[in-house]
């Protein structure tokens, strides 16, 4: 059983992970005049360097040979790398082109999109409250499309790409550090080739904008890896239901930055659309907490029903023998086994 101190430590790691993800819109504008694709390429290259050093320190290399021997798993890893590249690249472009609020919407509606994909792809069955939340989310997209004068395509691409990435990672079933290493390793050569091509064309900003700019581009590896390390530390210390609530920190911070720091416009129709999304998320969260509470009650009842009868009770209910008993070897004691909560690697 996890101690209270471990739980508090896990919460701090969770706040750190989602807080950093929420504040990352402040970092990408520092990299201007680099374009979104150049920033993305640097992020891929330097992320591999950071996670490579981490794996070297932890001496966790055995999984590489296993991955190479499984073509299907390797193909899924390549697909995951492609999908997350779209997500990363579009997010960087959105922030540096004045669409922080619309980008935050993508991560607000991501849980709803994930549920919809679960129904369409995995054949999962939804409860009535979940159907209501998905319906309200769909209505919100219509309202926002009217407000923007176009579909909120940035939000939709970010939400669907991240949901698809989560689905692929679910099928891969790899640890967070290992999967990030595999994905960035597959992206490393194309990214490095693009950066070398930019340099040959005289369009690279890595060396032309000064040492400080070069250091910031190299720091994209740390910006990618540190929140993931914090997330991994949180995932093994706090319940997944708690992580599910903490995940809303990131888009809340991003939305706040978009409105209060970047001063992006929020006309009434956008407020209406966002309000519908938030209402859907409140429903979804309430249903998840209610379902988790019922599951805990059922598990506790099942554990109580399965508890072994004490040795004293068995002795009291056994009639005494008429004749003096012969010596009997003592029975082996059987200790009750407490249910162990399953652990899950971070996605």
């Amino acid at each position: 059983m996890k101690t209270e101190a471990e739980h508090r430590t896990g919460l701090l790691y969770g706040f750190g992970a989602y807080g950093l993800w929420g504040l990352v819109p402040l970092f990408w504008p520092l990299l201007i005049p680099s374009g979104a694709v150049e920033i993305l390429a640097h992020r891929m290259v330097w992320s591999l360097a950071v996670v490579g050093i981490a794996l070297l320190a932890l001496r966790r290399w055995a999984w590489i040979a296993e991955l190479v021997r499984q073509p299907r798993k390797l193909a899924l890893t390549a697909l995951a790398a492609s999908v997350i590249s779209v997500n990363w690249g579009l997010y960087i472009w959105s922030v540096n082109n004045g669409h922080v609020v619309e980008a935050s919407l993508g991560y607000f509606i991501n849980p709803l999109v994930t549920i919809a994909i679960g129904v369409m792809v995995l054949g999962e069955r939804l409860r009535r409250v979940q159907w209501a939340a998905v319906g309200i989310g769909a209505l919100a997209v219509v309202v926002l499309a009217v407000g923007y004068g176009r579909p909120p395509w940035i939000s939709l691409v970010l939400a669907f790409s991240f949901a698809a990435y989560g689905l692929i990672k679910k099928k891969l079933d790899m640890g967070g550090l290992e999967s990030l290493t595999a994905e960035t390793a597959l992206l490393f050569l194309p990214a490095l080739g693009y950066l070398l091509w930019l340099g040959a064309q005289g369009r690279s900003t890595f060396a032309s904008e000064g040492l400080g700019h070069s250091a910031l581009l190299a720091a994209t590896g740390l910006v990618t890896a540190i929140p993931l390390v914090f997330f991994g530390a949180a995932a093994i210390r706090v319940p997944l239901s708690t992580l599910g609530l903490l995940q809303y920190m990131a888009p809340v911070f991003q939305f706040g930055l978009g409105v209060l720091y970047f001063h992006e416009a929020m006309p009434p129709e956008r407020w209406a659309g966002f309000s519908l999304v938030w209402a859907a998320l409140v429903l979804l969260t309430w249903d998840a907490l209610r379902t988790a509470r019922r599951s805990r009650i059922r598990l506790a009842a099942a554990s109580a029903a399965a508890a072994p009868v004490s040795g004293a009770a068995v002795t009291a209910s056994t009639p005494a023998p008429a004749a003096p008993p012969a010596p009997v070897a003592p029975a082996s004691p059987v200790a009750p086994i407490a249910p162990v909560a399953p652990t899950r690697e971070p996605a």
Side-chain angles (χ1 to χ4, degrees), residues 9-96:
T9 302
L11 282 177
L12 289 175
Y13 277 123
F15 281 120
Y18 287 107
L20 288 173
W21 279 326
L23 295 174
V24 78
L26 296 173
F27 178 74
W28 303 125
L30 300 177
L31 303 180
I32 295 172
S34 298
V37 179
E38 184 181 1
I39 296 171
L40 176 63
H42 276 286
R43 186 176 189 180
M44 294 170 181
V45 169
W46 295 108
S47 293
L48 180 61
V50 172
V51 295
I53 292 170
L55 285 175
L56 187 63
L58 296 172
R59 298 182 180 179
R60 282 160 56 176
W61 301 104
W63 59 272
I64 297 177
E66 181 183 347
L67 177 62
V68 171
R69 288 195 298 267
Q70 300 181 62
R72 180 179 177 276
K73 200 167 186 177
L74 196 58
L76 282 175
T77 303
L79 182 59
S82 302
V83 171
I84 200 61
S85 297
V86 172
N87 186 275
W88 284 357
L90 179 58
Y91 184 78
I92 294 167
W93 180 89
S94 302
V95 171
N96 286 355

Side-chain angles (χ1 to χ4, degrees), residues 122-283:
L122 303 179
E124 295 177 354
R125 298 179 62 183
L126 299 186
R127 296 180 291 274
R128 282 179 294 182
V129 175
Q130 291 175 312
W131 276 118
V134 172
I136 293 171
L139 177 61
V141 171
V142 173
V143 171
L144 287 165
V146 173
Y148 279 106
R150 57 170 176 80
W153 66 271
I154 294 174
S155 308
L156 294 174
V157 173
L158 288 174
F160 275 94
S161 60
F162 201 73
Y165 179 69
L167 176 64
I168 298 167
K169 294 291 285 285
K170 181 180 177 67
K171 292 181 178 295
L172 277 172
D173 192 25
M174 290 175 63
L177 185 59
E178 291 83 355
S179 62
L180 180 63
T181 304
E183 290 157 20
T184 51
L186 290 170
L187 296 169
F188 177 79
L189 287 179
L192 182 62
Y194 176 76
L195 292 176
L196 293 174
W197 177 81
L198 276 183
Q201 297 291 314
R203 296 163 53 192
S204 172
T205 64
F206 183 71
S208 63
E209 297 296 323
L211 187 59
H213 186 76
S214 301
L216 286 172
L217 285 172
T220 54
L222 292 173
V223 169
T224 301
I226 289 176
L228 284 171
V229 172
F230 284 179
F231 176 83
I236 61 176
R237 289 176 172 87
V238 300
L240 289 176
S241 58
T242 304
L243 283 181
L245 293 176
L246 289 177
Q247 74 173 335
Y248 295 125
M249 280 180 57
V252 166
F253 281 16
Q254 293 163 11
F255 177 81
L257 286 173
V259 174
L260 301 175
Y261 182 81
F262 293 103
H263 304 292
E264 294 185 14
M266 280 295 292
E269 57 271 18
R270 291 186 194 172
W271 280 112
F274 269 86
S275 298
L276 286 171
V277 170
W278 295 332
L281 293 178
V282 168
L283 271 180

Side-chain angles (χ1 to χ4, degrees), residues 265-347:
M266 280 295 292
E269 57 271 18
R270 291 186 194 172
W271 280 112
F274 269 86
S275 298
L276 286 171
V277 170
W278 295 332
L281 293 178
V282 168
L283 271 180
L284 203 61
T285 303
W286 171 76
D287 179 68
L289 293 175
R290 182 186 62 168
T291 303
R293 180 175 177 274
R294 288 178 175 176
S295 297
R296 286 195 299 269
I297 292 173
R298 284 197 297 268
L299 180 61
S303 299
V309 181
S310 68
V314 172
T315 303
S317 62
T318 304
V328 179
S332 302
V334 180
I337 302 174
V340 179
T343 58
R344 187 179 300 178
E345 291 283 353

